[in-house]
Amino acid sequence: MHSSAIFRATAPGRSLLLSLGLLAAAITSGAGAEDYPHAQEPIGTVEQIYDGAMLPDLAVSTYRNIDRLFPTHRIKAGDHPYALPKSDKQLPNVRFTVGDKKYDLYDFVALDSITAMLVLKDGKIVFETYQRGNTEKTRWMSMSIAKSITSTLAAAAIKDGLIKGLDAQVVDYVPELKGSAYEGVTVRDVLMMSSGVKWNETYTDPASDRRALLKAQISQKPRSAMALMASLPRAAEPGTANTYSTGETQVLGEIVRGAVKMPLADYLSQKIWQPFGMESDARWWLDSPDGVEIGGSGISATLRDYGRFGLFFMNGGKINGTSILPEGWVKEATLPTKLKGGKSLDYGYMWWTAWTEPSMKDGAYSAVGIQGQNIYINPANNVVIVTFGAQPKPVDKEPIDPMVFFDAVVAALK
C-alpha cells in the first residue's frame, strides 16, 4: 500500500489518526493484503465516515478497506464453505410503489447507493450483483450489523454456560464498571439498550458520547473505551428506558470477552465462522493493538458470508443439526421487547424488528448498519437479503426505505 494515499486522504492536523492508519495498514499488509483486490486504493479517515464528508469514490474505497483504519483481529474461516448454489429461478425486475411514485430494482440500487446485493431464497442465490468495482472477494464494513453479531456471541456464551443467563450482572464480567452507573444492570438490559446509562448517539455531533467513544478508539489506549463507559451518569433506572447506544454494545463485547476468556474474533471463528462454513476470513476492529474488539462496529466480511450468517441465524443457529444458541433465542431476540413499565420497543436483542406491514406479518427482522448495510431475514418465506451501501451520510437519508424494497422482493419470489 502506498502510504502517500493516506496522507492525501487525511485532513491536516490528524497526525494521530494518520499514524494509526499506517499502523493498521502495516498490520494488514503482514496478513496477506497483497491478495486483496482493493489493497492499493486510497482511503479516507474514520472521522470522515462519521462526519459524512467523503465524495463517492473515496467513500467506496474506504468502506472496503476499513481494516486499514485500525488494527484488527482476523476472523478465520474454515476449509469447507457452506454451499450457496444458484437457483434455477432468478429474481425478476422488482417493481413497487411508494406513495404516488413508482420504483424498480434499478432505482433502489442507484438511489440508495447500493454497491453489492445478495438475495437468497431457500438457501439458493436468486440475485447477486457487485457494483463500483466490488467483487466476491470484497470485504465491506458492517457498521451496526456488528451489534447483531455481538448479541449472537453473547447468546452462544450463555448456551456454553460462560454467561449465567440474561439476568447476570454486567459488573461480574467487566470489573472496571464496578461502582459505575452499570451497577445493577443485567445482560438483558444491555441487550435491550435499556441500562439507563445516559448516552447521546448523534454520529455527526463532535460533542456526542458516540464521538467520544470514537475518540477513545482512535487513541488506541488500552481500556479507554471502558473508562469512558464507567464515567457516564445514570439517566434512568435499569430496564425502564431505551436509548440506542453503540457504547452499550461495547459493554456487551466486554461481557462476552470477560466470560469466554478469548478475543471475540476467535470465539466467532470457533463457534460460527468455521463450523458453519464461511468462505473467507473476515476482520474486526480493536480498541487498541491486540486489544478488545469494537462490539458495535468494525467487522468487515464478504457479501456471501454475511448471507451465510443470515442463514445460520434464520435457521435457529443450527450447525450440523444442533443449535449453538439457547432454546428459543432467535424468536426472543427478534421480537419487540418490553421495558419494566410495560412499554414495547421496536427492537429486540440488538436486532431491529420489522417496521412495514408485510414484514411485520412475516415476523421479519434485520441487522442494520448506517450508510446502507443490511441483513434482512424473512423466516416465513425463507428469504435473506444482504446489501452493501455507500451512502454519503450516517443519517437517515435513504431515498427508498430498504424494507419497502425487501417486501417487494419477497412478494416477487412467491
Side-chain angles (χ1 to χ4, degrees):
M1 187 202 75
H2 299 297
S3 59
S4 60
I6 295 185
F7 279 98
R8 289 194 300 271
T10 306
R14 293 177 180 170
S15 58
L16 176 60
L17 195 58
L18 170 60
S19 301
L20 183 56
L22 291 172
L23 172 62
I27 291 172
T28 303
S29 295
E34 67 278 358
D35 298 328
Y36 188 58
H38 311 294
Q40 303 299 324
E41 296 174 352
I43 61 171
T45 68
V46 70
E47 287 177 321
Q48 286 174 304
I49 293 175
Y50 286 99
D51 286 339
M54 281 191 283
L55 292 172
D57 284 352
L58 185 61
V60 167
S61 60
T62 302
Y63 297 171
R64 61 192 177 205
N65 278 289
I66 65 163
D67 51 0
R68 285 162 54 190
L69 293 172
F70 293 103
T72 63
H73 277 155
R74 184 190 297 258
I75 305 165
K76 295 178 182 177
D79 299 324
H80 305 287
Y82 184 100
L84 293 177
K86 189 173 182 179
S87 175
D88 292 336
K89 180 185 177 183
Q90 290 293 290
L91 181 71
N93 184 15
V94 176
R95 294 180 170 86
F96 58 102
T97 302
V98 181
D100 59 354
K101 293 184 178 180
K102 294 182 178 181
Y103 298 96
D104 64 9
L105 182 151
Y106 303 98
D107 293 323
F108 173 71
V109 170
L111 293 173
D112 278 21
S113 300
I114 302 302
T115 64
M117 181 163 61
L118 175 70
V119 181
L120 302 172
K121 167 72 172 175
D122 300 327
K124 296 180 179 181
I125 298 173
V126 295
F127 183 84
E128 185 176 25
T129 186
Y130 297 92
Q131 301 293 317
R132 304 301 300 274
N134 284 343
T135 74
E136 293 175 15
K137 292 184 177 181
T138 299
R139 293 189 301 269
W140 196 263
M141 69 176 186
S142 61
M143 303 313 280
S144 290
I145 284 176
K147 292 180 172 66
S148 303
I149 295 175
T150 300
S151 163
T152 304
L153 292 182
I158 291 172
K159 178 68 179 283
D160 286 344
L162 301 172
I163 294 175
K164 296 176 182 177
L166 291 171
D167 293 325
Q169 295 291 306
V170 169
V171 295
D172 288 345
Y173 303 91
V174 193
E176 290 133 301
L177 295 178
K178 288 183 178 179
S180 76
Y182 279 94
E183 284 279 5
V185 173
T186 66
V187 171
R188 180 188 281 106
D189 293 333
V190 171
L191 283 164
M192 292 172 56
M193 295 192 180
S194 63
S195 67
V197 176
K198 188 177 181 181
W199 185 265
N200 177 352
E201 184 73 8
T202 309
Y203 302 102
T204 53
D205 179 2
S208 72
D209 297 311
R210 178 64 188 94
R211 292 301 286 267
L213 181 62
L214 184 63
K215 287 174 184 175
Q217 184 182 354
I218 289 170
S219 78
Q220 288 288 284
K221 181 181 177 183
R223 316 310 300 163
S224 59
M226 280 306 97
L228 169 67
M229 300 311 295
S231 73
L232 298 171
R234 175 166 286 172
E237 285 302 305
T240 64
N242 169 259
T243 301
Y244 189 85
S245 167
T246 296
E248 208 93 301
T249 323
Q250 188 64 28
V251 170
L252 183 65
E254 292 276 0
I255 293 169
V256 176
R257 175 67 186 260
V260 304
K261 309 298 184 186
M262 70 175 73
L264 270 65
D266 290 353
Y267 193 57
L268 176 55
S269 177
Q270 289 182 20
K271 298 300 294 186
I272 302 171
W273 223 253
Q274 291 193 31
F276 189 76
M278 304 310 183
E279 190 171 6
S280 304
D281 289 354
R283 304 285 193 277
W284 201 338
W285 278 349
L286 302 176
D287 70 342
S288 57
D290 203 30
V292 177
E293 288 80 356
I294 300 298
S297 64
I299 293 175
S300 56
T302 65
L303 186 73
R304 289 184 180 179
D305 282 346
Y306 286 121
R308 289 181 175 98
F309 182 82
L311 289 176
F312 156 80
F313 200 79
M314 181 174 69
N315 294 322
K318 290 181 181 177
I319 297 174
N320 298 322
T322 302
S323 179
I324 69 160
L325 307 177
E327 185 175 354
W329 179 269
V330 169
K331 187 173 183 180
E332 184 175 350
T334 59
L335 285 173
T337 50
K338 283 189 177 181
L339 296 172
K340 287 180 179 177
K343 180 183 177 182
S344 184
L345 304 176
D346 296 328
Y347 197 60
Y349 295 159
M350 298 191 183
W351 288 88
W352 287 100
T353 58
W355 57 82
T356 60
E357 199 69 37
S359 280
M360 286 191 288
K361 184 179 178 182
D362 289 342
Y365 49 91
S366 293
V368 180
I370 55 173
Q371 286 147 323
Q373 324 319 319
N374 292 278
I375 302 176
Y376 168 85
I377 299 172
N378 187 309
N381 291 281
N382 210 17
V383 170
V384 172
I385 304 172
V386 183
T387 65
F388 290 172
Q391 294 164 11
K393 302 287 184 186
V395 291
D396 294 327
K397 283 191 174 182
E398 294 167 316
I400 297 173
D401 181 343
M403 195 166 285
V404 172
F405 171 73
F406 299 155
D407 287 340
V409 170
V410 171
L413 290 171
K414 287 182 179 179

